[in-house]
Amino acid sequence: MTRMSERAEFTCSVRVQYLPEQSQEPDGPYAFAYTVTIHNTGGVAAQLVARQWLVTNAHGRTEEVRGLAVVGHQPLLKPGEQFEYTSWTRIDTPHGSMSGTFFCMSEQAHAFESPVAEFVLVHPNALH
């Protein structure tokens, strides 16, 4: 049995920024940068291997994005270390949301998933 201190766990946080220069107002698409910070909050080293994103527009249409790595990296994080990256997406409505999952592997070859809670993509004037 694995002791609690030997558990593999990543915690993720996200910051979003609207990208007016990459957007085509007023009809879209609308572009958003998102910066993800992945922090190893577990007790063992672990590696991020792949990711899945669900990108949903204001009409509820969802696009799934899957792939290996994040921005070309599969970071190996020791306990307490973090990795930050920025990527971007476009949606065809002024607001929507994203959520995701990182697929990871501990140094003992135990697979685990690290969820990324839903976050909003909102044009600065969309809710006024």
Side-chain angles (χ1 to χ4, degrees):
M1 182 188 286
T2 302
R3 291 191 310 244
M4 195 66 142
S5 64
E6 295 175 351
R7 186 180 79 235
E9 182 177 44
F10 286 170
T11 303
C12 306
S13 61
V14 181
R15 294 185 318 275
V16 179
Q17 180 181 353
Y18 177 64
L19 299 173
E21 65 281 358
Q22 301 295 327
S23 299
Q24 297 176 8
E25 296 183 34
D27 299 321
Y30 299 87
F32 300 88
Y34 54 94
T35 300
V36 180
T37 303
I38 303 158
H39 187 245
N40 184 339
T41 52
V44 297
Q47 185 169 22
L48 187 154
V49 178
R51 90 269 184 217
Q52 172 197 34
W53 289 110
L54 298 176
V55 184
T56 306
N57 72 10
H59 305 298
R61 194 180 82 234
T62 299
E63 176 186 353
E64 181 182 34
V65 179
R66 286 181 166 263
L68 292 174
V70 289
V71 294
H73 298 278
Q74 292 182 320
L76 175 63
L77 302 176
K78 294 177 184 170
E81 289 184 337
Q82 68 181 31
F83 177 79
E84 184 174 275
Y85 76 95
T86 300
S87 190
W88 67 290
T89 191
R90 281 190 208 171
I91 56 174
D92 59 357
T93 57
H95 61 90
S97 65
M98 284 180 67
S99 62
T101 303
F102 293 124
F103 302 97
C104 309
M105 186 72 66
S106 75
E107 65 183 352
Q108 297 92 3
H110 293 129
F112 67 100
E113 295 181 1
S114 182
V116 181
E118 183 177 37
F119 55 94
V120 294
L121 308 169
V122 181
H123 181 283
N125 298 324
L127 301 178
H128 297 292

